[in-house]
Coordinates of all heavy atoms in Angstrom, one line a residue:
L10 N 2.3 1.1 -0.1 CA 1.4 1.4 1.0 C 0.1 2.1 0.5 O 0.2 3.0 -0.4 CB 2.1 2.3 2.0 CG 3.3 1.7 2.7 CD1 4.0 2.8 3.5 CD2 3.0 0.5 3.5
S11 N -1.0 1.8 1.1 CA -2.2 2.5 0.8 C -2.2 3.8 1.4 O -1.5 4.1 2.4 CB -3.4 1.6 1.3 OG -3.5 0.4 0.7
R12 N -3.0 4.7 0.9 CA -3.2 6.1 1.4 C -4.6 6.4 1.7 O -5.5 6.0 0.9 CB -2.5 7.1 0.5 CG -1.0 7.0 0.4 CD -0.5 8.0 -0.6 NE 1.0 8.0 -0.6 CZ 1.7 8.8 -1.4 NH1 1.1 9.6 -2.3 NH2 3.0 8.7 -1.4
T13 N -4.9 7.1 2.7 CA -6.3 7.6 3.0 C -6.6 8.8 2.1 O -5.7 9.4 1.5 CB -6.5 8.0 4.5 OG1 -5.9 9.2 4.7 CG2 -5.9 6.9 5.4
S14 N -7.8 9.2 2.1 CA -8.2 10.4 1.3 C -7.7 11.7 1.9 O -7.8 12.7 1.3 CB -9.7 10.5 1.1 OG -10.3 10.5 2.4
L15 N -7.1 11.6 3.1 CA -6.5 12.8 3.7 C -5.0 12.9 3.6 O -4.4 13.7 4.2 CB -6.9 12.8 5.2 CG -8.3 13.0 5.5 CD1 -8.6 12.7 7.0 CD2 -8.7 14.4 5.2
H16 N -4.4 12.0 2.7 CA -2.9 12.0 2.6 C -2.4 13.4 2.2 O -1.4 13.9 2.8 CB -2.5 11.0 1.6 CG -1.0 10.9 1.4 ND1 -0.3 11.7 0.5 CD2 -0.1 10.2 2.1 CE1 1.0 11.4 0.6 NE2 1.1 10.5 1.6
G17 N -3.1 14.1 1.3 CA -2.6 15.4 0.9 C -2.7 16.4 2.0 O -1.8 17.3 2.1
R18 N -3.7 16.3 2.9 CA -3.8 17.2 4.0 C -2.6 16.9 5.0 O -2.0 17.9 5.5 CB -5.1 17.0 4.8 CG -6.3 17.3 4.0 CD -6.4 18.8 3.6 NE -7.7 19.2 3.2 CZ -8.2 19.1 2.0 NH1 -7.4 18.6 1.0 NH2 -9.4 19.6 1.7
H19 N -2.3 15.7 5.2 CA -1.2 15.4 6.1 C 0.2 15.9 5.6 O 1.0 16.5 6.3 CB -1.1 13.8 6.3 CG -2.4 13.2 6.8 ND1 -3.1 13.8 7.8 CD2 -3.0 12.1 6.5 CE1 -4.2 13.1 8.1 NE2 -4.1 12.0 7.3
A20 N 0.4 15.7 4.3 CA 1.6 16.1 3.7 C 1.7 17.7 3.8 O 2.8 18.2 4.1 CB 1.7 15.7 2.2
A21 N 0.6 18.4 3.5 CA 0.6 19.8 3.6 C 1.0 20.4 5.0 O 1.5 21.4 5.1 CB -0.7 20.4 3.1
L22 N 0.6 19.6 6.0 CA 0.9 20.0 7.4 C 2.3 19.6 7.8 O 2.6 19.8 9.0 CB -0.2 19.4 8.3 CG -1.6 20.0 8.2 CD1 -2.6 19.1 9.0 CD2 -1.6 21.4 8.8
G23 N 3.0 18.9 6.9 CA 4.4 18.5 7.3 C 4.4 17.3 8.2 O 5.4 17.1 8.9
A24 N 3.4 16.5 8.1 CA 3.4 15.3 9.0 C 4.6 14.3 8.7 O 5.0 14.2 7.6 CB 2.1 14.5 8.8
R25 N 5.1 13.7 9.8 CA 6.0 12.6 9.6 C 5.2 11.4 9.3 O 4.4 10.9 10.2 CB 6.9 12.5 10.9 CG 7.7 11.2 10.9 CD 8.9 11.3 9.9 NE 9.7 10.1 9.9 CZ 10.7 9.9 10.7 NH1 11.1 10.9 11.5 NH2 11.5 8.8 10.6
L26 N 5.3 10.9 8.1 CA 4.5 9.7 7.7 C 5.3 8.4 7.9 O 6.5 8.4 7.7 CB 4.1 9.9 6.2 CG 3.3 11.1 5.9 CD1 3.2 11.4 4.5 CD2 1.8 11.0 6.5
G27 N 4.6 7.3 8.1 CA 5.2 6.1 8.3 C 4.3 4.9 8.0 O 3.1 5.1 7.9
A28 N 4.8 3.7 7.8 CA 4.0 2.6 7.5 C 3.3 2.1 8.7 O 3.9 1.9 9.8 CB 4.9 1.5 6.9
F29 N 2.0 1.7 8.6 CA 1.3 1.1 9.7 C 0.2 0.3 9.1 O -0.7 0.7 8.4 CB 0.6 2.2 10.6 CG -0.1 1.6 11.8 CD1 0.6 1.3 12.9 CD2 -1.5 1.4 11.7 CE1 -0.1 0.8 14.0 CE2 -2.1 0.9 12.8 CZ -1.4 0.6 14.0
A30 N 0.3 -1.1 9.3 CA -0.7 -2.0 8.8 C -1.0 -1.9 7.3 O -2.1 -2.0 6.9 CB -2.0 -1.9 9.6
G31 N 0.1 -1.6 6.6 CA -0.1 -1.6 5.1 C -0.5 -0.2 4.6 O -0.7 0.0 3.4
W32 N -0.6 0.8 5.5 CA -1.0 2.2 5.1 C 0.1 3.1 5.4 O 0.9 2.9 6.4 CB -2.2 2.6 5.9 CG -3.5 1.8 5.6 CD1 -3.8 0.6 6.0 CD2 -4.5 2.2 4.7 NE1 -5.0 0.2 5.4 CE2 -5.5 1.2 4.6 CE3 -4.8 3.4 4.0 CZ2 -6.6 1.3 3.9 CZ3 -5.9 3.5 3.2 CH2 -6.8 2.4 3.2
E33 N 0.2 4.2 4.7 CA 1.1 5.3 5.0 C 0.3 6.3 5.8 O -0.6 7.0 5.3 CB 1.6 6.0 3.7 CG 2.7 7.0 4.0 CD 3.3 7.6 2.7 OE1 2.6 7.6 1.6 OE2 4.4 8.1 2.7
M34 N 0.7 6.4 7.1 CA -0.2 7.2 8.0 C 0.7 8.2 8.7 O 1.9 8.1 8.9 CB -0.7 6.2 9.1 CG -1.7 5.2 8.5 SD -3.2 5.9 7.8 CE -4.0 6.6 9.2
P35 N 0.0 9.3 9.2 CA 0.8 10.3 10.0 C 1.1 9.8 11.4 O 0.3 9.5 12.1 CB -0.2 11.5 10.0 CG -1.6 10.8 9.9 CD -1.4 9.6 9.0
L36 N 2.4 9.8 11.6 CA 2.9 9.4 13.0 C 2.8 10.6 13.9 O 2.4 10.5 15.1 CB 4.3 8.9 12.9 CG 4.5 7.7 11.9 CD1 6.0 7.3 11.9 CD2 3.6 6.6 12.3
Y37 N 3.2 11.8 13.5 CA 3.0 13.0 14.2 C 3.2 14.2 13.3 O 3.7 14.0 12.1 CB 4.0 13.1 15.4 CG 5.5 13.0 15.0 CD1 6.2 14.2 14.6 CD2 6.2 11.8 15.0 CE1 7.5 14.1 14.2 CE2 7.5 11.7 14.7 CZ 8.2 12.8 14.3 OH 9.5 12.8 13.9
Y38 N 2.8 15.3 13.7 CA 2.9 16.6 12.9 C 4.0 17.5 13.4 O 5.0 17.7 12.7 CB 1.5 17.3 12.9 CG 0.4 16.4 12.3 CD1 -0.3 15.5 13.1 CD2 0.1 16.5 10.9 CE1 -1.3 14.7 12.5 CE2 -0.9 15.7 10.4 CZ -1.6 14.8 11.2 OH -2.6 14.0 10.6
S39 N 3.8 18.0 14.6 CA 4.9 18.9 15.1 C 5.7 18.1 16.1 O 6.9 17.8 16.0 CB 4.3 20.1 15.8 OG 3.3 19.7 16.8
A40 N 5.0 17.6 17.2 CA 5.7 16.8 18.2 C 4.6 15.9 18.9 O 3.5 16.4 19.3 CB 6.4 17.7 19.2
A41 N 4.9 14.6 19.0 CA 3.9 13.7 19.5 C 3.5 14.1 21.0 O 2.3 13.9 21.3 CB 4.4 12.3 19.5
R42 N 4.4 14.5 21.8 CA 4.1 14.9 23.1 C 3.1 16.0 23.2 O 2.2 16.0 24.0 CB 5.4 15.2 23.9 CG 5.3 15.3 25.4 CD 6.7 15.6 26.0 NE 6.7 15.7 27.4 CZ 6.8 14.7 28.2 NH1 7.1 13.5 27.8 NH2 6.8 14.9 29.5
A43 N 3.3 17.0 22.3 CA 2.4 18.2 22.3 C 1.0 17.7 21.8 O 0.0 18.2 22.3 CB 2.9 19.3 21.4

């Protein structure tokens, strides 16, 4: 999976990462509803 230049920021925030259109993207950080 490709990663954006913000991947490190997402990981540091504890994001739940997942595959989307060939990219590893943040699905949510704390809770999607919030």
Side-chain angles (χ1 to χ4, degrees):
L10 296 174
S11 298
R12 292 176 172 179
T13 76
S14 58
L15 291 169
H16 182 269
R18 297 296 196 275
H19 303 319
L22 288 169
R25 172 67 181 272
L26 299 165
F29 184 82
W32 292 80
E33 187 176 24
M34 298 297 295
L36 303 180
Y37 57 87
Y38 298 87
S39 56
R42 191 178 181 90

